[in-house]
Amino acid sequence: MSNRYQVAIVGGGPVGVALAVELGLRGVRCALVERRTGLQNIPKGQNLTPRTLEHFYFWGIDEALRAERIMPKGYAIAG
């Protein structure tokens, strides 16, 4: 059985992954293709901006992410 997708996303960085999440939540079948198989030495998404947190809120994952934080409670996540 072959898989069919409506969208192919090339690149599993912060933008590619965010697009895949957004499309998936809207019912769009997508394939995310990333050439690397391991983790990068320097993460691509190194900070959280207020706009990033808005996306997390709309995706319904903001509270789970805040609960997993490594910084002490009360320490600001973004500028």
Side-chain angles (χ1 to χ4, degrees):
M1 180 175 164
S2 67
N3 291 325
R4 293 204 171 264
Y5 301 99
Q6 295 169 282
V7 176
I9 302 167
V10 179
V15 174
V17 171
L19 179 59
V21 169
E22 188 67 34
L23 291 175
L25 289 173
R26 294 171 185 263
V28 177
R29 289 182 43 87
C30 57
L32 178 62
V33 180
E34 171 58 49
R35 68 178 170 167
R36 294 178 176 90
T37 58
L39 298 175
Q40 295 293 304
N41 292 336
I42 300 173
K44 300 292 183 186
Q46 296 185 43
N47 61 3
L48 298 177
T49 65
R51 184 67 178 141
T52 305
L53 294 175
E54 286 177 20
H55 286 288
F56 293 162
Y57 172 79
F58 289 120
W59 295 338
I61 61 172
D62 58 319
E63 293 303 321
L65 288 172
R66 288 178 191 274
E68 294 297 324
R69 66 188 296 159
I70 58 172
M71 301 302 289
K73 282 204 175 286
Y75 194 87
I77 292 178

